[in-house]
Amino acid sequence: MSQHHHVYGPVLSRRLGRSLGVDLLPFKTCTYDCAYCQLGHTTSHTMERVEFVPVDDVLQEVEEHLAKDRPDIITFAGSGEPTLHSGLGRCIEGIKKITDVPCAVITNGSLLWMPEVRRDLAKADMVNPSLDAALPCTARKANFMAPGLNLRDILKGLVTFCSEYKGRIWLEIMLAKDLNDSEEDLEAINAVLERLEHVERVQLNTVTRPPADKEVMALSEDELKAVQKILCRESEIIASFAPAKEAGRKDITPDDVLDLVSCHPSTLQGLCQGLNAAEDQVEKHVRYLLQQGRIVAEERAGESYFVCARDDESGR
């Protein structure tokens, strides 16, 4: 069994189908430290672009996976802000040489003011940028930008990117109660939306998984529907409001997940049942363990099963 440190899944995405994830960064390396981030607070807060992992290693892992499975899409996402990787464009180019599976990049949009970032993203088939705040005071609370970033440049970069990019743009707006959903905030977001060209979809989301700051709360479905009426662009709600089962335990750790899969390969649902834990908690630890190369995902009978990587099977 080979360890895949930078490729995970495929995972079933409500928006993108069976998505093969490509994670180019050390865990929680980001330009933002968002109050609502499901992965917790940023540990490496930076705007410096670096080749964190070798492009050739990433391409080898993607090619190995594609030899046994064809996902619907290959998505650059994961543990932080993918545009921080200085070789992002070369990664996309390399993938396109070995497959016709489309490539998407999920980005917070913070570095779109950089021409080199826009050049890298131009190679992707789809880009999913975020627009969570259009007022400086709100951006400081909601996103907490890395030193050197300023909201004016970020918004200008988003406008420029949307005017230049030839692929599909799905813009996500993540809202949290009393954080960035005020009338003034929505008016400011509207002012930016009016300047954005070539946006195929505007998608509204809210906090449906445990956030970095525990006091951050979700908007209700009705509240998101009210926001839809305020926005100047047609939008869709992508947050899931399916009733969640109460978990019997709240304190699971990555080692709990690792211990289970070491003796019993499991799907995400199986892990939730086996650990008696909520899906959002389990998924957070699974993503971390995949990025660390301590577990791997295998496709079995049309489902992704998580199994212990060989080095971990012999002891940790």
Side-chain angles (χ1 to χ4, degrees):
M1 182 189 304
S2 63
Q3 290 192 30
H4 281 194
H5 296 281
H6 314 302
V7 174
Y8 62 93
V11 295
L12 187 61
S13 165
R14 295 193 307 276
R15 292 184 286 175
L16 303 174
R18 291 183 69 253
S19 171
L20 180 66
V22 180
D23 192 350
L24 300 176
L25 304 173
F27 188 71
K28 281 306 295 172
T29 299
C30 197
T31 54
Y32 286 171
D33 184 10
C34 295
Y36 47 73
C37 183
Q38 68 189 43
L39 297 178
H41 280 295
T42 295
T43 52
S44 179
H45 202 198
T46 181
M47 59 174 282
E48 182 181 1
R49 301 190 79 210
V50 176
E51 188 169 331
F52 292 94
V53 298
V55 170
D56 288 345
D57 289 358
V58 175
L59 295 178
Q60 180 180 348
E61 290 187 18
V62 172
E63 188 167 19
E64 287 175 0
H65 184 93
L66 292 175
K68 59 182 180 181
D69 176 77
R70 180 184 172 87
D72 296 323
I73 196 164
I74 297 170
T75 307
F76 290 85
S79 300
E81 172 49 42
T83 60
L84 279 171
H85 194 288
S86 58
L88 174 61
R90 287 183 286 127
C91 284
I92 298 171
E93 285 180 327
I95 289 172
K96 287 187 169 295
K97 290 178 180 177
I98 59 178
T99 184
D100 61 354
V101 175
C103 289
V105 180
I106 297 177
T107 172
N108 61 27
S110 59
L111 300 182
L112 294 177
W113 53 274
M114 295 183 174
E116 59 269 33
V117 169
R118 298 199 299 275
R119 285 194 295 268
D120 282 354
L121 291 176
K123 307 175 194 302
D125 300 285
M126 172 186 285
V127 175
N128 301 67
S130 297
L131 173 61
D132 301 336
L135 295 176
C137 57
T138 302
R140 285 192 291 271
K141 292 186 299 180
N143 301 130
F144 192 65
M145 299 169 288
L149 288 175
N150 70 79
L151 185 61
R152 179 177 295 181
D153 286 343
I154 291 169
L155 297 179
K156 184 177 179 180
L158 178 62
V159 172
T160 301
F161 173 76
C162 290
S163 70
E164 297 175 349
Y165 182 63
K166 305 302 181 185
R168 305 175 71 185
I169 302 173
W170 291 6
L171 180 79
E172 180 178 2
I173 301 174
M174 172 69 81
L175 297 173
K177 196 170 184 64
D178 300 326
L179 182 68
N180 60 344
D181 65 331
S182 70
E183 183 178 343
E184 292 78 13
D185 283 308
L186 295 177
E187 287 177 357
I189 287 173
N190 263 338
V192 178
L193 287 177
E194 289 174 345
R195 300 168 60 197
L196 300 184
E197 303 177 59
H198 308 140
V199 175
E200 182 178 323
R201 297 186 184 183
V202 174
Q203 300 178 317
L204 294 183
N205 208 347
T206 192
V207 186
T208 57
R209 297 171 180 173
D213 292 339
K214 293 180 180 179
E215 64 272 17
V216 173
M217 304 294 291
L219 271 67
S220 68
E221 188 170 10
D222 285 342
E223 286 169 329
L224 283 179
K225 288 179 178 178
V227 171
Q228 283 183 298
K229 296 177 181 178
I230 295 172
L231 294 183
C232 62
R233 302 278 285 265
E234 183 178 351
S235 62
E236 59 182 335
I237 295 171
I238 62 171
S240 175
F241 289 95
K245 295 182 179 179
E246 285 296 322
R249 47 185 298 193
K250 305 291 186 182
D251 58 344
I252 67 165
T253 68
D255 280 344
D256 291 323
V257 175
L258 196 60
D259 287 340
L260 180 55
V261 301
S262 67
C263 59
H264 185 72
S266 300
T267 62
L268 182 62
Q269 183 179 13
L271 284 167
C272 295
Q273 293 171 345
L275 295 171
N276 192 25
E279 181 176 331
D280 41 40
Q281 289 290 325
V282 175
E283 187 178 29
K284 173 178 167 181
H285 295 317
V286 164
R287 179 171 289 188
Y288 171 76
L289 290 168
L290 285 167
Q291 194 271 337
Q292 293 290 308
R294 300 178 73 186
I295 65 173
V296 295
E298 293 184 351
E299 196 77 8
R300 301 181 183 182
E303 290 191 278
S304 288
Y305 279 77
F306 302 106
V307 299
C308 196
R310 180 161 296 173
D311 286 350
D312 276 305
E313 290 174 343
S314 58
R316 300 189 296 276

